């Protein structure tokens, strides 16, 4: 399955982007805590790109349930549901 260069570039940029934290605090405010290394929540857009990049077809719906995105999509002409862990990015095809 062909993927456009634009989609691949978006995926790379999303995966390597690091949240910027304002560490400048004036003397009256408490300092902003540094985020833990490697900790972050995957955005819905990144989840969509991951599903498309993994060879699945059109996304019919996506919803967040607890720590997962539940994605209803198609593979080889058959409907499937894919769960994506929002913390690790692990993808699990459930049916």
């Amino acid at each position: 399955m062909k993927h456009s260069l634009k989609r691949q570039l978006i995926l790379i940029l999303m995966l390597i982007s690091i949240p910027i934290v304002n560490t400048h605090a004036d003397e009256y405010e408490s300092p902003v805590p540094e985020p833990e290394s490697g900790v972050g929540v995957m955005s819905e857009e990144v989840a969509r790109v991951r599903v498309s990049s993994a060879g699945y077809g059109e996304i019919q719906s996506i919803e967040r349930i607890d720590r997962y995105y539940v994605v209803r999509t198609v593979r080889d002409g058959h409907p499937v549901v894919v769960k994506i862990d929002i913390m690790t990015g692990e993808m699990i095809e459930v049916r």
Side-chain angles (χ1 to χ4, degrees):
M1 186 174 222
K2 293 183 180 180
H3 298 289
S4 71
L5 182 59
K6 183 178 177 182
R7 267 197 178 161
Q8 291 175 359
L9 180 58
I10 289 170
L11 174 63
I12 291 168
L13 291 175
M14 290 177 153
L15 293 175
I16 63 172
S17 65
I18 299 173
I20 298 173
V21 176
N22 180 8
T23 56
H24 300 287
D26 63 27
E27 60 189 277
Y28 301 108
E29 294 180 16
S30 60
V32 176
E34 292 291 326
E36 294 180 41
S37 178
V39 174
V41 175
M42 177 185 299
S43 71
E44 183 177 315
E45 183 59 32
V46 171
R48 288 178 180 276
V49 171
R50 287 182 55 91
V51 168
S52 295
S53 297
Y56 291 93
E58 180 182 349
I59 294 174
Q60 297 160 346
S61 70
I62 184 168
E63 63 180 309
R64 183 170 167 190
I65 299 175
D66 297 324
R67 105 177 241 153
Y68 295 95
Y69 283 116
V70 178
V71 183
R72 294 184 193 323
T73 185
V74 177
R75 183 168 222 159
D76 300 325
H78 300 287
V80 293
V81 175
V82 177
K83 286 175 57 174
I84 305 173
D85 186 309
I86 64 171
M87 300 302 285
T88 66
E90 179 183 6
M91 292 177 57
I92 303 163
E93 186 174 313
V94 263
R95 58 177 167 149

